Amino acid sequence: MGPAVIAIDAPHLRDWIRVGRARPASALLSRTFACQVDALPWSVTGESLDWSALDGVTVPADDPVAVVDWLARVEPGTSEAAFVLFSPDEPGLVCSMVDAVTQVRFLFGAEPGPRFLCGAAVAGRDVDPRFDQVIEWDGDLLHARTRPPHLIQPARARPDAARSDRVGSEGGPSAAR
């Protein structure tokens, strides 16, 4: 049996890193985020978070327009960047929030089980994850906590216009304007 392949070494993710659309983040952030997720309320089956206890809002992940509209109504939507967790024991990935939620199937592929990401702030080389801004992808649906009504923002630009081309440059990732 050969060495385990680290998720961020997958060719499709390496391409995103190479062109500046994403960048690796430390395994320490992955371990910390995994512990935060483990401490949240889980469903009785233990297969996903209990989104009814977390005041969650759900959207089908395969509809990019609905996903961008959903992002305007959930807590992680306040972050320009996302920290993507592949495993508690390996580096994660930082990319734009819009890219993360509209390309979630691309990021995680066919990995079984729930997958998690959270909001993040990026300043230069520093990544400040917002572990309380959890998003779960169950293979079909994206789940996140709703924002209080007075903080709901108008939907961002559509995915084809909002995609960030670079992560971590002057002031962090920014959607195309």
Side-chain angles (χ1 to χ4, degrees), residues 71-133:
L71 192 58
R73 298 187 331 263
V74 296
E75 286 181 359
T78 63
S79 291
E80 288 290 321
F83 171 74
V84 181
L85 173 69
F86 296 103
S87 163
D89 302 319
E90 63 183 68
L93 194 73
V94 176
C95 63
S96 83
M97 179 61 76
V98 171
D99 277 353
V101 296
T102 61
Q103 301 295 317
V104 69
R105 203 172 298 278
F106 173 84
L107 288 170
F108 289 120
E111 291 292 322
R115 306 313 245 153
F116 297 96
L117 49 142
C118 67
V122 177
R125 302 221 34 90
D126 296 330
V127 176
D128 182 16
R130 308 290 193 224
F131 294 138
D132 59 325
Q133 296 181 353

Side-chain angles (χ1 to χ4, degrees), residues 121-145:
V122 177
R125 302 221 34 90
D126 296 330
V127 176
D128 182 16
R130 308 290 193 224
F131 294 138
D132 59 325
Q133 296 181 353
V134 176
I135 297 174
E136 177 182 359
W137 179 57
D138 65 13
D140 293 312
L141 302 171
L142 288 164
H143 310 268
R145 287 180 174 149

Side-chain angles (χ1 to χ4, degrees), residues 3-175:
V5 176
I6 294 176
I8 64 169
D9 287 337
H12 67 291
L13 297 179
R14 274 273 162 247
D15 286 345
W16 267 26
I17 292 167
R18 182 180 48 77
V19 299
R21 196 165 170 187
R23 71 180 197 200
S26 80
L28 177 59
L29 292 179
S30 295
R31 281 190 294 280
T32 305
F33 182 39
C35 288
Q36 296 287 328
V37 169
D38 285 344
L40 293 171
W42 284 75
S43 66
V44 293
T45 64
E47 295 177 5
S48 67
L49 293 176
D50 181 356
W51 287 101
S52 64
L54 294 169
D55 195 21
V57 180
T58 300
V59 68
D62 61 355
D63 182 346
V65 172
V67 168
V68 171
D69 290 343
W70 166 86
L71 192 58
R73 298 187 331 263
V74 296
E75 286 181 359
T78 63
S79 291
E80 288 290 321
F83 171 74
V84 181
L85 173 69
F86 296 103
S87 163
D89 302 319
E90 63 183 68
L93 194 73
V94 176
C95 63
S96 83
M97 179 61 76
V98 171
D99 277 353
V101 296
T102 61
Q103 301 295 317
V104 69
R105 203 172 298 278
F106 173 84
L107 288 170
F108 289 120
E111 291 292 322
R115 306 313 245 153
F116 297 96
L117 49 142
C118 67
V122 177
R125 302 221 34 90
D126 296 330
V127 176
D128 182 16
R130 308 290 193 224
F131 294 138
D132 59 325
Q133 296 181 353
V134 176
I135 297 174
E136 177 182 359
W137 179 57
D138 65 13
D140 293 312
L141 302 171
L142 288 164
H143 310 268
R145 287 180 174 149
T146 188
R147 288 189 205 180
H150 67 284
L151 296 178
I152 294 177
Q153 301 293 318
R156 295 179 184 210
R158 296 296 179 232
D160 57 332
R163 185 182 65 74
S164 170
D165 289 328
R166 302 204 59 81
V167 172
S169 60
E170 296 300 313
S174 61

